[in-house]
Amino acid sequence: MRKNIIDDDEVYIPDIGDTDEEIDIHGQYPRSNAGIALGWSPLEQQMFDLLLMNRFAKYDGEVIEESAKAIIHLIKTFPSHEISRIAAIALMSFQLDAMEDKGFEDEYNKYVDYIRKHPEDAEIY
């Protein structure tokens, strides 16, 4: 594979091992050969880097495909503030698992079961 990025200033993650200088990464962003060929903007590069260059998923095409389908579904189905709310809840669910050793799905199912048995206790807004 040929490398389109020639200029060292275009490197997104600077090598800080051998320098004491202050490093300025302002205006730098992830770049890929495909992104360069497609003329992607910095926002496009960052967005697709988060999806496609994920260090845990980049070798698993099925995971990438499912992630892309989920994002497409969210964008088509929900307004942006609802997507933000869903993302915030997902992040808190990881914290719930890490700090309280509880899973979101289990806690949600407990809540639903309780409300079925005690509908008078359902939150009303």
Side-chain angles (χ1 to χ4, degrees):
M1 176 168 84
R2 65 186 165 86
K3 183 178 176 184
N4 288 340
I5 301 170
I6 298 169
D7 186 354
D8 286 340
D9 290 337
E10 292 185 7
V11 176
Y12 175 62
I13 301 173
D15 179 9
I16 59 174
D18 299 326
T19 183
D20 291 328
E21 299 174 22
E22 185 176 330
I23 296 171
D24 180 15
I25 59 170
H26 178 74
Q28 295 182 351
Y29 52 90
R31 295 176 188 230
S32 68
N33 288 344
I36 291 168
L38 293 169
W40 278 353
S41 69
L43 178 60
E44 289 168 314
Q45 287 277 350
Q46 290 172 349
M47 185 170 61
F48 283 91
D49 183 67
L50 286 171
L51 176 64
L52 301 174
M53 303 301 171
N54 181 300
R55 302 306 179 254
F56 301 105
K58 72 178 186 178
Y59 299 113
D60 189 340
E62 187 175 318
V63 171
I64 294 170
E65 184 71 22
E66 290 303 312
S67 296
K69 285 180 183 177
I71 291 167
I72 291 165
H73 175 73
L74 280 171
I75 292 167
K76 288 182 177 180
T77 308
F78 299 99
S80 60
H81 69 278
E82 285 296 315
I83 294 171
S84 297
R85 187 177 64 83
I86 292 166
I89 293 167
L91 287 172
M92 284 189 284
S93 72
F94 289 115
Q95 187 175 9
L96 180 71
D97 183 44
M99 297 182 75
E100 300 182 23
D101 199 27
K102 295 179 178 179
F104 174 78
E105 184 176 4
D106 293 336
E107 295 305 309
Y108 172 76
N109 288 334
K110 287 179 195 175
Y111 173 82
V112 170
D113 288 341
Y114 179 87
I115 294 302
R116 283 190 189 125
K117 294 173 186 168
H118 307 91
E120 68 279 4
D121 288 342
E123 281 79 7
I124 300 173
Y125 299 100

Short mmCIF file of all heavy atoms in Angstrom, two decimals, residues 20 46 58 100:
data_model
loop_
_atom_site.label_atom_id
_atom_site.label_comp_id
_atom_site.label_asym_id
_atom_site.label_seq_id
_atom_site.Cartn_x
_atom_site.Cartn_y
_atom_site.Cartn_z
N ASP A 20 11.46 17.79 23.58
CA ASP A 20 11.00 18.55 24.74
C ASP A 20 10.18 19.75 24.30
O ASP A 20 9.71 20.52 25.13
CB ASP A 20 12.20 19.05 25.55
CG ASP A 20 12.93 17.89 26.22
OD1 ASP A 20 12.27 16.91 26.57
OD2 ASP A 20 14.16 18.00 26.40
N GLN A 46 -12.33 12.50 10.72
CA GLN A 46 -12.46 12.14 12.13
C GLN A 46 -13.60 11.17 12.36
O GLN A 46 -13.48 10.19 13.10
CB GLN A 46 -12.66 13.40 12.98
CG GLN A 46 -11.42 14.25 13.05
CD GLN A 46 -11.68 15.59 13.72
OE1 GLN A 46 -12.82 15.96 13.95
NE2 GLN A 46 -10.62 16.31 14.03
N LYS A 58 -11.17 -2.98 13.72
CA LYS A 58 -10.72 -2.76 12.34
C LYS A 58 -10.47 -4.05 11.57
O LYS A 58 -10.48 -4.04 10.35
CB LYS A 58 -9.50 -1.85 12.29
CG LYS A 58 -8.20 -2.46 12.77
CD LYS A 58 -7.10 -1.43 12.59
CE LYS A 58 -5.76 -2.02 12.92
NZ LYS A 58 -4.69 -1.09 12.71
N GLU A 100 -20.85 -0.42 40.16
CA GLU A 100 -21.84 -1.07 41.01
C GLU A 100 -22.07 -2.53 40.64
O GLU A 100 -22.91 -3.19 41.22
CB GLU A 100 -23.17 -0.30 40.95
CG GLU A 100 -23.04 1.14 41.43
CD GLU A 100 -24.36 1.88 41.43
OE1 GLU A 100 -25.41 1.21 41.49
OE2 GLU A 100 -24.34 3.12 41.36
#
